[in-house]
Amino acid sequence: MPATIYFMKGDITELEVDAIVNAANNELILGGGVAGAIRTKGGPRIQEECDRIGSIRLGEAAVTTGGNLKAFCVIHAASMEMGDVTTAKNLRSSTRNSLLRAEEKGLKTIAFPAIGTGIAGFPMEDCATIMISEVLEHLKSRSSLEKIYFVLYDDAALKTFEETYKKLTARPAATEKN
Ligand code: APR
């Protein structure tokens, strides 16, 4: 059964899914934005595990516990270096590697934020094009994933992602009320 991609507005740390993806830096130091919400709601264990992993290659993705979050685990997508910005190349590769980490664990449900579009200053429309096309590419081959959520933080971002999905697939976007 092919996976379904959903678009919704909300706080990604509230989702009860197998994994939520963190908009991480490659030092795996949880700062503000998505990472800050994960740190606050997930508790200290997540940063402790990140510290044990240490820094990862730019564009890579690492898995930790979900701590006190409803999500089973957190996949940290390193699309930027601390204090630097996200590039298209590193956004693409960290999205792809997050999907590979999910496959390695046989996960069924995963939620992505709009990686790079906050502190890292990446344009929302370019982010939507890159992240959605990476997911569509990934789903061309067999996957354990059944539901993939894009969790946007405001109406404008949600609209951009839904419109981009329509452009890329000529299909209307599915919205999930979580
Ligand atoms: N749920 C969903 N989306 C959120 C949430 C949330 N709780 N909080 C913020 N966002 C949105 C932002 O509005 C933005 O559109 O997620 C997008 C990514 O923003 P950031 O979290 O700032 O991530 P990014 O721009 O990739 O910067 C990452 O910032 O916090 C540090 O440690 C982090 O170094 C890393 C960098």
Side-chain angles (χ1 to χ4, degrees), residues 25 39 46 48 75 79 82 99 120-121 133 174:
N25 55 65
R39 182 167 37 78
I46 299 175
E48 283 163 10
I75 297 177
S79 79
M82 278 287 273
L99 291 160
S133 58

Side-chain angles (χ1 to χ4, degrees), residues 13-53:
T13 61
E14 289 303 317
L15 258 71
E16 190 159 355
V17 287
D18 291 343
I20 63 170
V21 176
N22 176 31
N25 55 65
N26 75 313
E27 305 284 326
L28 300 187
I29 293 169
L30 300 176
V34 172
I38 288 172
R39 182 167 37 78
T40 311
K41 294 199 184 156
R45 276 184 56 208
I46 299 175
Q47 186 63 66
E48 283 163 10
E49 271 195 39
C50 284
D51 293 347
R52 274 201 293 280
I53 296 168

Side-chain angles (χ1 to χ4, degrees), residues 75-135:
I75 297 177
H76 302 266
S79 79
M80 56 169 291
E81 282 180 336
M82 278 287 273
D84 203 338
V85 292
T86 290
T87 63
K89 176 172 166 280
N90 294 329
L91 174 60
R92 187 173 290 284
S93 117
S94 61
T95 301
R96 188 169 56 248
N97 282 315
S98 298
L99 291 160
L100 293 178
R101 290 304 85 74
E103 294 299 342
E104 287 155 14
K105 291 202 166 288
L107 303 185
K108 293 197 169 118
T109 56
I110 187 170
F112 284 95
I115 296 171
T117 60
I119 295 164
F122 198 75
M124 190 62 77
E125 192 169 341
D126 297 348
C127 172
T129 303
I130 290 170
M131 291 191 73
I132 295 171
S133 58
E134 272 310 307
V135 166

